[in-house]
Amino acid sequence: MRLLLDLHPDSYPLEGFRKRQLLEWVFVQGAGSFEAMTNLPADLRATLGEEYALNPFREIETVRSTDGSVKYLFTLHDGRQMEAVYMPYLDRRTICVSTMVGCPAKCAFCATGAMGFGRNLTPGEIVGQVLAVAGGEGIAPRELRNLVFMGMGEPLLNYDHTMLAARILLHPQALGMSKRRVTLSTVGLPKGIRRLAAEDDLGIKLAISLHAPDEETRQRIIPTGHRNSIVEIMAAAREYQATTGRRVTFEYSMLRGVNDQLWQARELAGLLRGLVSHVNLIPMNPWDGSGFESSTEAEIQAFYDELEARGVDVSVRRSRGKDAGAACGQLALKRPDAVTGSAASA
Ligand code: SF4
């Protein structure tokens, strides 16, 4: 049976008015079943139910953080598991979605990387995270206006499925998200960055996890990083900007005594010269067995000041959901001793 959410909205079954009704049920109302689509004739609902599955998940659990963030743990129909994080800010609601079960990039500070690679998610399994989180939070799917491909997995290694998911997210008859509010975060794959730059109908934003300005440190943090040198990554970022005109964000996890030295801030500033960019400094989020600790507030401030003095646009990103194991680098299917519960499931 096919997963309906795997289809591009233009390829949905039915025609004209009925097709619009179906799309509205799925993406505007967030209907959990074909039976709930009460303005479709009963025989049509039955036929759809025989040919398509609507829900990509067998089970959904939630872990709620005291700061309001919620980690969603999804069990897929093949029994594999992955996660998304919902972050309700005062003025906006953001969702961080996964593109893979596990991740092959193996970043040393990241709990997901330590799990290894499971499999790619399908487009519907990616988009389904948005619908499930909206359902779990009791809001309309379109109220989730900000999305980051920053959960489990390297989106550029699941390229086609991630691109189709992005097109479904942006499609006016589907979730209608603004391209300016969707960000793809990559470990830095030059080929994928160039392909993304060429997707000129998409226009989503790019974030690159650089984490170090020198090869030796970067390969310690990202053991698979040797496949793409920093020089190649920066060249791809410059090409991306020349093609799209868009600013590039660089993610930088602050690891104490590893990548937080002032000479590294100076090298980073040098790498970014002439590029319209923004640097996010992210205090490392601890997890058992990571072998790293976060830089202190004072060390982060000194690194920040060094960058700012060299004209780098920089901010410190405070991760949310630490107590729920939902912060950056913590996603590893753990259920910490926070408040757990169930959301709507198949
Ligand atoms: S930080 Fe991202 S790319 Fe690196 S291992 Fe974790 S999920 Fe994969």
Side-chain angles (χ1 to χ4, degrees), residues 105 187-188 215 218-219 222-230 232-233:
V187 77
E215 289 296 347
R218 191 164 198 270
Q219 282 174 32
I222 309 175
T224 56
H226 64 276
R227 294 178 196 150
N228 303 290
S229 71
I230 293 172
E232 288 172 304
I233 294 169

Side-chain angles (χ1 to χ4, degrees), residues 102-107 109-114 150-154 187 209 211 329:
C103 184
K106 296 191 170 63
C107 300
F109 64 90
C110 173
T112 306
M150 213 177 270
M152 287 184 168
E154 164 51 60
V187 77
S209 296
H211 301 316

Side-chain angles (χ1 to χ4, degrees), residues 159-240:
Y159 190 87
D160 292 340
H161 289 177
T162 302
M163 290 304 113
L164 179 48
R167 289 191 163 86
I168 298 169
L169 296 170
L170 301 186
H171 196 285
Q173 282 187 285
L175 285 164
M177 284 185 176
S178 159
K179 59 189 177 189
R180 284 183 297 280
R181 292 169 181 242
V182 175
T183 302
L184 182 148
S185 177
T186 172
V187 77
L189 307 178
K191 216 167 121 196
I193 292 171
R194 291 193 178 94
R195 276 183 86 185
L196 182 65
E199 307 276 358
D200 45 14
D201 63 315
L202 262 186
I204 60 175
K205 297 198 294 184
L206 172 69
I208 298 175
S209 296
L210 198 62
H211 301 316
D214 58 293
E215 289 296 347
E216 195 186 329
T217 310
R218 191 164 198 270
Q219 282 174 32
R220 186 174 160 201
I221 300 171
I222 309 175
T224 56
H226 64 276
R227 294 178 196 150
N228 303 290
S229 71
I230 293 172
V231 170
E232 288 172 304
I233 294 169
M234 295 309 296
R238 284 175 197 283
E239 275 179 46
Y240 174 89

Side-chain angles (χ1 to χ4, degrees), residues 85-118:
V85 182
Y86 170 62
M87 294 163 282
Y89 292 90
L90 282 181
D91 57 339
R92 62 204 160 109
R93 296 180 165 115
T94 300
I95 179 170
C96 173
V97 297
S98 294
T99 53
M100 293 176 169
V101 174
C103 184
K106 296 191 170 63
C107 300
F109 64 90
C110 173
T112 306
M115 290 171 61
F117 174 61

Side-chain angles (χ1 to χ4, degrees), residues 310-343:
R310 283 164 175 74
V312 175
D313 185 27
V314 56
S315 60
V316 179
R317 191 172 78 211
R318 304 282 165 202
S319 288
R320 296 167 64 103
K322 273 192 212 176
D323 58 335
C328 292
Q330 285 186 321
L331 300 187
L333 311 174
K334 296 258 171 58
R335 292 153 180 77
D337 301 330
V339 185
T340 59
S342 293

